[in-house]
Amino acid sequence: MHWVLPVLLAVIGVTALLVVTPVSGYRPWPYLKPNSSDLMFGGSKKFEGSSEFVHLRYHMGPVLTANITIHPIWYGRWQKSQKKIIREFINSISAVDSKHPSVAGWWKTVQLYTDQTGANISRTVLLGEEKNDRFYSHGKSLTRLSIQSVIKSAVTSRTKPLPINPKSGLYLLLTSDDVYVEDFCGQVCGFHYFTFPSIVGYTLPYAWVGNSAKLCPGVCAYPFAVPQYMPGLKPLKSPNSDVGVDGMISVIGHEVAELATNPLVNAWYAGQDPVAPVEIADLCEGIYGTGGGGSYTGQLLNDKDGATYNMNGIRRRYLVQWVWNHIVSYCTGPNALD
């Protein structure tokens, strides 16, 4: 059982002239009842495979048509095994030889989106240089503004700074399970935006995703963990034996897909307000397989050891949310184009 309420992120005043408003807040677990009237498009951005209320439009901004390079920033303490799961997911996005249904097949839906010249989003997503911040240089409690400061530290470091790549680089801040980020668990599990030159020195598309294993696995690692207030609902077995990281994978996929199609919040989205856009992954929250929508995840796959997944990577299996296919006007996964 699965239903969701996507959240319009709170606006934070930095100064009288500077406002930080990450536009996409992803939360894969509900606080609505199935079939609630709040599941109408205007209330929650969620509906079940119908295009009747969808007005996804291209607003003429750039999308990522050049080869995409993702630069992870590992904030806090991370195990080698955890990093490996996430690295292999990123590498799987372009791994066309993976067994079907594949992560690469899922990315083909994202590739359908174009810029104003008709150029498609790149099929190539690369794992770039990485930065470790294992000593919590900005503390264990981050605000939306301090997230940009963490990125600044990573790209301006005296030793091995991350490369500056505004046109095709994505900066992925990953916080460990002992780090709290503003609105984490209560409202969001991840979001994306772009950095301000006044803070970082450059305009760089970025996303933050947190490891919820200690703070709120029942909220952000569903269906591999379930909330305590839902007795009797059994969690599914995670495909890589790490509930927190396996829960992060779908959030990472969600944010990377939206960064590729709406990096500066002026490209592909539905709704009238660019501060609170409905993006290609928002339209499919809670849908992981055929028939998904409302309170049902859709048809999933089970490994021989009982783990649940819906996509194959290079050497691993993952559970990743589907994304909106604007050609056919409904959510699709790897089966549609794989």
Side-chain angles (χ1 to χ4, degrees):
M1 300 290 287
H2 187 180
W3 63 98
V4 293
L5 175 60
V7 181
L8 303 183
L9 296 177
V11 176
I12 305 166
V14 178
T15 68
L17 298 176
L18 181 60
V19 176
V20 180
T21 312
V23 298
S24 176
Y26 175 46
R27 174 173 183 168
W29 177 250
Y31 36 126
L32 293 181
K33 296 179 180 179
N35 302 319
S36 164
S37 61
D38 285 336
L39 288 175
M40 294 297 290
F41 173 70
S44 72
K45 303 192 292 191
K46 179 72 173 69
F47 45 92
E48 305 176 22
S50 168
S51 62
E52 181 179 357
F53 299 109
V54 179
H55 300 287
L56 185 74
R57 294 193 301 116
Y58 177 53
H59 297 265
M60 305 306 287
V63 301
L64 301 185
T65 58
N67 289 351
I68 299 166
T69 302
I70 298 177
H71 298 288
I73 302 170
W74 305 96
Y75 191 87
R77 297 184 180 181
W78 288 89
Q79 299 175 19
K80 290 182 179 180
S81 60
Q82 294 176 320
K83 290 183 176 182
K84 191 173 182 180
I85 294 169
I86 294 173
R87 286 183 185 126
E88 291 190 1
F89 172 71
I90 294 171
N91 284 326
S92 294
I93 295 174
S94 295
V96 295
D97 294 331
S98 297
K99 181 181 178 181
H100 304 311
S102 69
V103 176
W106 164 81
W107 187 255
K108 286 181 180 179
T109 297
V110 182
Q111 288 177 247
L112 294 173
Y113 290 84
T114 62
D115 65 12
Q116 57 186 304
T117 71
N120 290 84
I121 287 175
S122 176
R123 62 171 285 183
T124 302
V125 179
L126 306 171
L127 178 64
E129 295 181 37
E130 305 175 32
K131 193 68 178 175
N132 291 295
D133 194 335
R134 60 178 61 91
F135 298 111
Y136 311 88
S137 65
H138 294 263
K140 290 189 176 182
S141 182
L142 302 177
T143 64
R144 299 186 191 281
L145 183 59
S146 63
I147 281 177
Q148 294 207 16
S149 297
V150 173
I151 296 171
K152 177 183 179 180
S153 297
V155 300
T156 61
S157 173
R158 292 182 179 180
T159 58
K160 297 182 179 180
L162 291 181
I164 303 298
N165 187 358
K167 292 186 177 180
S168 62
L170 301 182
Y171 298 81
L172 181 60
L173 177 60
L174 304 167
T175 51
S176 58
D177 59 12
D178 55 349
V179 176
Y180 174 75
V181 173
E182 186 175 2
D183 295 329
F184 191 20
C185 298
Q187 293 186 15
V188 296
C189 305
F191 57 70
H192 77 84
Y193 204 49
F194 55 84
T195 62
F196 297 126
S198 58
I199 298 176
V200 179
Y202 306 89
T203 300
L204 304 173
Y206 75 90
W208 158 75
V209 179
N211 186 336
S212 66
K214 292 181 179 178
L215 295 171
C216 58
V219 174
C220 292
Y222 178 85
F224 305 126
V226 297
Q228 294 181 353
Y229 59 79
M230 298 291 290
L233 183 63
K234 295 183 179 180
L236 302 178
K237 184 177 181 181
S238 67
N240 296 289
S241 301
D242 190 310
V243 168
V245 174
D246 275 318
M248 292 178 74
I249 291 297
S250 190
V251 188
I252 292 171
H254 177 117
E255 301 303 339
V256 170
E258 292 184 344
L259 277 167
T261 54
N262 197 29
L264 300 181
V265 202
N266 60 359
W268 288 94
Y269 64 87
Q272 300 301 314
D273 186 357
V275 174
V278 183
E279 300 174 276
I280 71 164
D282 296 328
L283 293 172
C284 304
E285 286 190 347
I287 298 177
Y288 295 86
T290 302
S295 59
Y296 177 50
T297 57
Q299 297 178 16
L300 305 180
L301 301 171
N302 290 106
D303 205 345
K304 58 184 179 181
D305 64 356
T308 300
Y309 70 101
N310 66 349
M311 301 180 196
N312 292 288
I314 299 173
R315 287 174 289 273
R316 298 175 182 270
R317 291 171 172 173
Y318 300 100
L319 184 68
V320 185
Q321 178 205 297
W322 285 11
V323 291
W324 186 258
N325 184 329
H326 71 295
I327 304 298
V328 296
S329 294
Y330 54 80
C331 299
T332 57
N335 291 324
L337 297 167
D338 209 354

